[in-house]
């Protein structure tokens, strides 16, 4: 007891703002060049250890949180989470991407694109909700994958989470500048600095940087105050959206819906893969479980409730736009503003631009909260320096992690255009959501030291069938969208893999709330996410591949050794506790 109290007092007296080597590289492997060379010589052994090792619920909820030294404040309810859901999701996507994809890929069937991507997003929401209720920590999908699929898979996902966080915030900040320019009725890019750099990087955006800094500052000050500001801004944005839907239907012309499928089914799914970006952000809600008063009740209401309503709103907005203007006449830059101009409501463009600005502002606010909490938990596991895991004792917020994401996003937003970022975002997001569905199936059908080895092999076999058949379906769609022979092979394989899973006994039942129709819904989530990934262009996968290679290099030279040392230290501490317990038992024995 005395030692614990001394440790607590030491933590309380340590300054939050400290920058010693021990705060960034406390692991044994980095204490000297000799240690580091020794660690590198054991890379293969350590990689195998990290590949097969797993975390557990207790470690993620208890032990890892101690790395932050101070607790985050439990101050959120289902009401806060519901509005965070709206604020995190409803932003630039619906205003920017709808017109672009209706004009170029889907036509009036853009509403079906939103249905398809909305169904896929809801399947992922189910998976996130079950995990968030069972493991209420700030790490979100990173923590869940560490438990079920191990450190290496969690690291690849962590890299994509950080990439998605940084690039996503940068993309929204750039879009904020565009809509602000439109609101001021100024020429496009007139508020950006023109340079002679390469195309896509030649328009410098200081306004985007300023918006990111303001959002991060609010998020740092207080989670509760951020929730209040988000609620007010989202309520105003919701009022604008309702106006768009009602006024749009009042000026609708049903003849604009013909032809409904000008680009065929392929166009619908191409657009669905892109507009999926408009549903991104709901995973931020799962990261707030650590600050939620009653996670088992509040998270299902907040996540499922907000996403259900958002899906309906998106479909109505897409239908409104398609009925106001012929798809060939839709403006790809400011679709709703120009659509209202075409029906004589010139003043409405300013209302639409203001609504979009408010929506993007809340996306940045909630993003600053959620992304910092992802980063905090990644740092708790020592995959990045643990200095970023520290929680400030007064604000109860992870200031260091917030600064990391904000500075990185600001640098990218200053240089990179929105089109350079959007496709990369979709691949990362879909990959993470696919892995979450795999992790949920593993959680339900496998419990370490309980599940028989034969059942584990069957689980792996059926999962490989589901993933391979989903990839086959996606590949065949890309090669021959009008054919059917390939589907006659891949879809029965998917069904057989899912049926095989359903015949295995579930090893774990959710304690409070669980995904219904397991394994069917998670298996369908895997298929839809892979299918939508396959609908993206080759350039998106090239960028994704380059980023993954960079992540692997970082992992081999830093992340692998830091996490190995952390796990080894944890095992030694557990063994010491067991030995102490045995000694006490012998001393108290007869």
């Amino acid at each position: 007891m005395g030692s614990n109290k001394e440790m607590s007092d030491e933590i309380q007296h340590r300054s939050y703002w400290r920058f010693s080597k021990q705060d960034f590289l406390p692991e044994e492997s980095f204490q000297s060049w000799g240690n580091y060379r020794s660690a590198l010589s054991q890379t293969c052994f350590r990689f195998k250890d990290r590949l097969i090792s797993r975390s557990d619920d207790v470690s993620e909820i208890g032990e890892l949180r101690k790395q932050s030294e101070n607790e985050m404040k439990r101050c959120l309810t289902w009401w806060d989470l519901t509005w965070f859901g709206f604020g995190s999701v409803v932003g630039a996507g619906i205003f920017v991407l709808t017109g672009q994809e209706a004009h170029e890929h889907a036509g009036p069937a853009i509403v079906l694109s939103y249905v398809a991507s909305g169904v896929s997003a809801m399947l992922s929401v189910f998976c996130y909700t079950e995990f968030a209720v069972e493991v209420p920590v700030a790490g979100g999908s990173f923590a869940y994958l560490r438990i079920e699929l191990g450190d290496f898979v969690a690291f690849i996902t962590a890299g994509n989470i950080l990439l998605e966080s940084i690039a996503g915030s940068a993309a929204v900040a750039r879009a904020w500048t565009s809509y602000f320019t439109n609101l001021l009725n100024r020429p496009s890019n007139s508020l950006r600095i023109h340079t002679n750099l390469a195309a896509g990087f030649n328009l410098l955006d200081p306004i985007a940087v300023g918006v990111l800094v303001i959002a991060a500052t609010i998020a740092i000050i207080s989670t509760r105050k951020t929730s209040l500001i988000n609620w007010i801004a989202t309520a105003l944005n919701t009022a604008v959206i309702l106006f768009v839907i009602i006024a749009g239907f009042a000026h609708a012309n049903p003849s604009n819906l013909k032809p409904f499928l000008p680009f065929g089914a392929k166009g619908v799914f191409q657009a669905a893969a892109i507009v999926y970006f408009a549903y991104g952000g709901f995973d931020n809600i799962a990261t707030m479980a650590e600050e939620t008063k009653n996670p088992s009740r509040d998270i299902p209401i907040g996540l499922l409730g907000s996403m259900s309503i958002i899906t309906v709103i998106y479909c109505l907005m897409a239908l409104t736009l398609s009925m106001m203007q012929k798809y060939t006449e839709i403006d790809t830059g400011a679709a709703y503003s120009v659509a209202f101009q075409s029906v004589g409501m010139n003043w409405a463009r300013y209302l639409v631009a203001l609504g979009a600005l408010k929506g993007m502002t809340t996306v940045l606010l909630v993003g600053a909260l959620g992304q910092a909490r992802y980063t905090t938990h990644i740092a708790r596991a020592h995959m990045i320096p643990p200095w970023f895991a520290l929680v400030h004792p007064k604000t109860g917020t992870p200031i260091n992690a917030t600064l990391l994401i904000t500075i990185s996003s600001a640098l990218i937003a200053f240089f990179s255009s929105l089109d350079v970022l959007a496709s990369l975002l979709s691949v990362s997001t879909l990959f993470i959501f696919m892995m979450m569905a795999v992790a949920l199936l593993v959680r339900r059908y496998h419990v370490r030291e309980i599940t028989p080895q034969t059942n584990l092999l069957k689980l792996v076999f059926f999962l490989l069938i589901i993933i391979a058949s989903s990839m086959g379906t996606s590949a065949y769609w890309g090669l021959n969208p009008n054919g059917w022979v390939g589907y006659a092979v891949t879809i029965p394989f998917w069904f057989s893999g899912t049926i095989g899973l359903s015949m295995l006994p579930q090893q774990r039942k959710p304690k409070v709330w669980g995904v219904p129709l397991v394994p069917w819904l998670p298996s369908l989530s895997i298929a839809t996410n892979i299918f939508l990934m396959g609908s993206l262009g080759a350039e998106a996968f090239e960028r994704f591949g380059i980023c993954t290679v960079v992540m692997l290099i970082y992992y081999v030279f830093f992340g692998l050794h830091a996490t190995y040392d952390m796990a080894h230290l944890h095992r030694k501490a557990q063994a010491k506790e067991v030995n102490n317990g045995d000694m006490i038992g012998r001393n108290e024995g007869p």
Side-chain angles (χ1 to χ4, degrees):
M1 283 289 290
S3 62
N4 287 340
K5 186 177 187 302
E6 287 170 13
M7 186 181 293
S8 177
D9 291 339
E10 182 186 346
I11 287 172
Q12 287 177 3
H13 287 104
R14 294 179 73 186
S15 169
Y16 183 81
W17 302 108
R18 53 186 196 264
F19 305 95
S20 71
K21 179 188 173 184
Q22 286 301 109
D23 295 309
F24 288 87
L25 297 170
E27 301 85 8
E28 185 67 25
S29 295
F30 306 107
Q31 295 310 300
S32 69
W33 281 108
N35 287 8
Y36 186 56
R37 284 194 296 270
S38 175
L40 289 178
S41 69
Q42 300 173 42
T43 296
C44 292
F45 169 76
R46 293 184 171 202
F47 178 74
K48 181 182 177 182
D49 176 84
R50 295 292 80 208
L51 188 65
I52 62 176
S53 67
R54 301 290 184 270
S55 183
D56 55 58
D57 296 14
V58 175
S59 295
E60 296 296 318
I61 296 170
E63 288 300 317
L64 275 188
R65 283 169 63 174
K66 294 176 184 177
Q67 296 287 318
S68 292
E69 297 186 359
N70 300 288
E71 291 284 332
M72 296 183 192
K73 296 176 180 177
R74 288 193 178 274
C75 57
L76 303 177
T77 65
W78 66 267
W79 177 261
D80 298 300
L81 295 181
T82 301
W83 284 103
F84 270 140
F86 274 93
S88 181
V89 176
V90 182
I94 184 65
F95 291 103
V96 175
L97 298 176
T98 308
Q100 171 188 309
E101 294 307 307
H103 183 84
E104 296 177 1
H105 291 127
I110 185 67
V111 64
L112 298 182
S113 300
Y114 273 105
V115 170
S117 53
V119 168
S120 182
M122 281 301 297
L123 292 172
S124 297
V125 167
F126 279 131
C127 298
Y128 268 90
T129 303
E130 179 172 330
F131 271 114
V133 169
E134 300 266 315
V135 191
V137 293
S141 54
F142 168 73
Y144 314 147
L145 292 174
R146 245 171 69 88
I147 293 169
E148 302 304 334
L149 301 181
D151 255 23
F152 178 67
V153 174
F155 170 78
I156 296 298
T157 306
N160 279 282
I161 288 168
L162 291 175
L163 177 66
E164 179 190 14
S165 301
I166 293 167
S169 294
V172 175
R174 296 280 299 198
W176 199 99
T177 303
S178 297
Y179 264 86
F180 185 60
T181 305
N182 188 47
L183 185 64
L184 297 178
N185 201 24
R186 294 183 58 133
S188 176
N189 294 321
S190 61
L191 297 181
R192 295 188 173 110
I193 301 170
H194 296 250
T195 69
N196 294 323
L197 297 174
F201 304 92
N202 59 332
L203 297 172
L204 308 186
D205 197 334
I207 293 176
V209 174
V211 173
L212 284 167
V213 170
I214 292 169
T217 303
I218 295 170
I220 283 171
I221 292 171
S222 166
T223 301
R224 193 79 195 93
K225 289 176 182 174
T226 306
S227 176
L228 178 61
I229 293 170
N230 171 73
W231 181 85
I232 295 169
T234 304
L236 292 171
N237 189 36
T238 303
V240 172
I241 287 171
L242 289 175
F243 163 79
V244 169
I245 293 171
I246 295 169
F249 278 124
H251 293 85
N253 182 359
S255 65
N256 287 331
L257 295 176
K258 298 176 183 178
F260 188 67
L261 285 163
F263 302 98
K266 182 177 182 179
V268 171
F269 287 108
Q270 280 183 316
I274 300 297
V275 301
Y276 198 93
F277 178 50
Y279 287 99
F282 66 80
D283 50 323
N284 284 322
I285 311 307
T287 69
M288 297 175 198
E290 203 168 303
E291 295 159 278
T292 303
K293 292 180 179 178
N294 187 353
S296 61
R297 182 199 66 183
D298 296 340
I299 290 173
I301 295 173
L303 259 175
L304 296 172
S306 60
M307 283 302 294
S308 299
I309 298 169
I310 288 166
T311 302
V312 174
I313 287 174
Y314 276 7
C315 291
L316 289 174
M317 286 189 71
L319 185 60
T320 298
L321 181 64
S322 298
M323 293 179 73
M324 286 177 70
Q325 266 194 313
K326 195 80 173 173
Y327 76 93
T328 53
E329 299 170 1
I330 290 175
D331 186 273
T332 57
Y336 288 93
S337 298
V338 174
F340 277 112
Q341 281 182 313
S342 71
V343 295
M345 296 177 67
N346 293 339
W347 56 271
R349 63 176 291 191
Y350 300 107
L351 190 61
V352 171
L354 187 63
L357 275 179
K358 281 190 171 66
M360 286 180 273
T361 303
T362 59
V363 167
L364 291 173
L365 269 178
V366 183
L369 282 179
Q371 292 154 10
R373 279 137 190 82
Y374 266 130
T375 307
T376 298
H377 206 75
I378 292 169
R380 286 170 176 173
H382 288 224
M383 286 194 177
I384 60 176
W387 186 78
F388 295 108
L390 298 178
V391 171
H392 196 278
K394 290 184 179 179
T395 64
T397 57
I399 296 178
N400 296 344
T402 307
L403 291 175
L404 173 65
I405 296 296
T406 304
I407 292 170
S408 303
S409 297
L411 287 172
I412 293 175
F414 190 61
F415 291 101
S416 304
S417 64
L418 183 62
D419 59 333
V420 172
L421 300 169
S423 59
L424 180 61
L425 276 171
S426 294
V427 176
S428 293
T429 303
L430 291 165
F431 174 76
I432 293 167
F433 292 167
M434 185 270 290
M435 294 304 297
M436 280 294 296
V438 172
L440 185 103
L441 290 172
V442 172
R443 184 174 181 83
R444 288 291 192 95
Y445 288 98
H446 176 250
V447 176
R448 288 185 294 280
E449 300 178 1
I450 294 177
T451 304
Q453 186 71 15
T454 53
N455 283 8
L456 173 60
L457 292 174
K458 289 177 183 177
L459 170 63
V460 172
F461 177 70
F462 292 135
L463 279 174
L464 288 175
I465 288 177
I466 291 169
I467 293 170
S469 60
S470 300
M471 291 174 69
T473 301
S474 180
Y476 187 75
W477 169 263
L479 294 171
N480 188 12
N482 298 318
W484 60 271
V485 177
Y487 305 132
V489 176
T490 59
I491 292 176
F493 265 102
W494 178 84
F495 270 103
S496 65
T498 310
I499 290 170
L501 266 186
S502 67
M503 295 174 68
L504 292 176
Q506 290 193 31
Q507 299 292 315
R508 191 190 329 241
K509 296 289 184 182
K511 299 169 189 172
V512 180
W513 191 94
V515 177
L517 299 176
V518 173
W520 292 98
L521 291 188
S523 181
L524 187 59
S525 180
I526 293 170
T528 54
N529 282 307
I530 289 176
F531 185 83
L532 291 174
M533 284 175 72
S535 299
L536 295 168
E539 189 177 338
F541 285 94
E542 289 171 7
R543 291 172 182 162
F544 179 73
I546 292 169
C547 291
T548 301
V549 169
V550 172
M551 292 172 201
L552 289 173
I553 293 171
Y554 170 86
Y555 185 70
V556 168
F557 287 100
F558 177 82
L560 169 62
H561 308 293
T563 52
Y564 176 85
D565 286 349
M566 175 73 175
H568 191 60
L569 193 66
H570 182 57
R571 287 190 201 120
K572 285 171 68 176
Q574 284 182 322
K576 188 175 180 181
E577 285 180 13
V578 171
N579 290 335
N580 289 340
D582 290 343
M583 289 180 65
I584 292 170
R586 285 197 294 269
N587 290 336
E588 292 178 351

